Amino acid sequence: QVHLVESGGGLVQAGGSLRLSCAASGRAFSSHATGWFRQAPGKEREFVAAIVWSGGGTEYADSVKGRFTISRDNTKNTVYLQMNSLKPEDTAVYYCADTYYSSAYLSTASEYDIWGQGTQVTVSS
């Protein structure tokens, strides 16, 4: 069974950077893609970015394009989310998730099969 564990969250000032990691056990032969989502207090969970394991294709939410970069390390079974130029509105719990099946809707949370526990990112103004 695949388990996902996020790390790298924390408190940072606006304009700063953080790198989140999503480590998995048992992912190598089971997942089609990994996505990052976030949820702020009182708001719905929203898509941030996704990466396809075979081929490395990526997708980003408009709100993070040019600031966030998703990448993967096949040897470590880990997906990263490099977040630069952080804004207070980026404050949220960030979750990574895996989908087993090929999908054209990687920005949709319901496409994902396994979720991590989340890591808090707080950006102060």
Side-chain angles (χ1 to χ4, degrees), residues 36 40 44 48 62 70-71 83 86 90-91 94-95 101 107 110:
W36 283 98
E44 293 188 354
V48 176
D62 288 343
I70 190 170
S71 62
M83 306 186 296
L86 282 161
D90 294 318
T91 295
Y94 283 70
Y95 300 89
Y101 306 105
S107 61
S110 60

Side-chain angles (χ1 to χ4, degrees), residues 37 112 120:
F37 289 76
Y112 292 83
Q120 176 71 46

Side-chain angles (χ1 to χ4, degrees), residues 50-95:
I51 187 165
V52 177
W53 279 89
S54 176
T58 58
E59 185 176 337
Y60 295 92
D62 288 343
S63 60
V64 306
K65 280 181 181 177
R67 300 189 298 124
F68 292 10
T69 302
I70 190 170
S71 62
R72 75 200 192 289
D73 185 331
N74 294 48
T75 62
K76 297 182 178 179
N77 243 354
T78 300
V79 171
Y80 303 99
L81 184 68
Q82 178 67 43
M83 306 186 296
N84 298 329
S85 302
L86 282 161
K87 305 175 182 180
E89 51 264 44
D90 294 318
T91 295
V93 177
Y94 283 70
Y95 300 89

Side-chain angles (χ1 to χ4, degrees), residues 94-107:
Y94 283 70
Y95 300 89
C96 68
D98 271 14
T99 175
Y100 295 139
Y101 306 105
S102 179
S103 171
Y105 304 100
L106 294 180
S107 61

